[in-house]
Amino acid sequence: NNELTIMAREMLPEDEYISSDNKHYFVKKVDKEGKKAYGEFLGEVELPEIEEVEAAAILAAAFQQAQKGKILLYCTHSDESYLPSDGKHSIPGKGGIFDVAESFKEALNKKGIEAVLDKTPHDPHDAGSYRRSRQTAVNLIRNNMPVAAVFDIHRDAVPKKAYDTQVNGEYMSKIRIVVGKRNQNRKANEELAYKVKAVADKLYPGLIKDIYIGKGMYNQELSPRSLLFECGTYEIPKEAVQKSMAYMADVVSKSIYGGTAE
């Protein structure tokens, strides 16, 4: 009867959850009426050592640099906004989530990484959003080869306390990583999620909230090294989330390029 986490998405049997302290759970059953999912503890997840991550990333970076691999960003739910800063939790087509994604892009650029953000809207925020954003992701990949990674930037809709954190004494937002199970790239995407969490846990404890492995595809079948980031929640000031993205840029840089693309 311990509450493990809370999230504004449908949980399904066979989903998986990795907590902030790297405990691995398997969703055994879901009570839709009560809005509760019940997890079975599978054991501890062993994340890679940061030295291993850096060594692997440096080797990958040599190839990426020869190929000039880019990081691609888009926002499936283009209405998602931050109530304290944007005045609304939803602004169709022009959500505050784009400002957060822009901050992430700029922080990556400062690391010498070429990041491309597509601001195509995918409204309305409904079951068809991923189908519409799929075309955006396809176009991004097609027009920006070769690709180092693809990130779909989201905002959660749970109470503020679930994402409040401090890193280096600064108030900011936690980030949740979401991986889709139903695609051929699951293994590669999961491996990247573990690397990102390992680096963040070592350098910036408290930044990564957890990892959720859901039954969906989330368009991650389009490219290996494709993840969904939940960046804060609607009750957190957008500026606090933008601070987090600067730290995330450093984490991603070390996870993929071994530190910097320069």
Side-chain angles (χ1 to χ4, degrees), residues 10 26 45 49-50 71 79 97 170 173 201 227 237:
E10 184 180 10
F26 181 81
V45 168
E49 293 291 330
I50 189 168
I71 289 181
D79 67 308
I97 194 67
E170 278 192 288
S173 171
D201 286 356
L227 298 174

Side-chain angles (χ1 to χ4, degrees), residues 135-210:
Q135 191 56 52
T136 296
V138 167
N139 290 339
L140 258 176
I141 294 166
R142 182 183 293 140
N143 297 330
N144 293 282
M145 294 292 284
V147 175
V150 183
F151 300 132
D152 188 3
I153 309 301
H154 287 246
R155 179 228 68 198
D156 210 341
V158 298
K160 176 175 178 286
K161 65 180 181 180
Y163 277 84
D164 282 334
T165 193
Q166 283 205 358
V167 175
N168 288 344
E170 278 192 288
Y171 172 70
M172 60 186 68
S173 171
K174 294 178 184 176
I175 309 294
R176 166 176 279 151
I177 306 172
V178 180
V179 178
K181 292 180 82 167
R182 287 174 48 201
N183 69 77
Q184 76 275 15
N185 294 320
R186 177 197 168 166
K187 185 77 175 169
N189 294 336
E190 202 171 277
E191 184 180 299
L192 178 58
Y194 285 9
K195 283 181 180 178
V196 168
K197 190 172 188 302
V199 172
D201 286 356
K202 181 84 170 182
L203 300 181
Y204 309 117
L207 180 63
I208 298 297
K209 177 175 170 52
D210 46 27

Side-chain angles (χ1 to χ4, degrees), residues 17 19 29 34 36 38 43 63 69 72 79 82 86 88-89 100 111 140 152-153 155 167 183 191 239 246 259:
Y17 173 68
S19 61
K29 64 175 182 175
K36 285 186 179 179
Y38 296 85
F63 174 77
L72 310 181
D79 67 308
Y82 299 86
D86 296 320
K88 296 179 180 179
H89 64 80
V100 169
K111 294 281 178 188
L140 258 176
D152 188 3
I153 309 301
R155 179 228 68 198
V167 175
N183 69 77
E191 184 180 299
E239 295 76 14

Side-chain angles (χ1 to χ4, degrees), residues 74 133-138 141 150 183-185 217-224 226:
Y74 68 103
S133 72
R134 179 184 173 82
Q135 191 56 52
T136 296
V138 167
I141 294 166
V150 183
N183 69 77
Q184 76 275 15
N185 294 320
M217 295 174 75
Y218 313 121
N219 296 330
Q220 292 174 1
E221 76 282 4
L222 297 175
S223 173
S226 177

Side-chain angles (χ1 to χ4, degrees), residues 3 9 17-18 46 52 60 95 106 108 110 119 133 143-144 184 202 205 238 250:
E3 183 181 285
R9 65 172 60 245
Y17 173 68
I18 297 162
E46 191 171 334
E52 295 172 8
E106 290 174 2
L108 288 165
K110 285 179 182 174
K119 294 186 178 181
S133 72
N143 297 330
N144 293 282
Q184 76 275 15
K202 181 84 170 182
K238 181 169 61 183
D250 192 43

Side-chain angles (χ1 to χ4, degrees), residues 46-59 195 255:
E46 191 171 334
L47 298 184
E49 293 291 330
I50 189 168
E51 292 80 8
E52 295 172 8
V53 173
E54 287 176 340
I58 288 165
L59 287 173
K195 283 181 180 178
S255 302

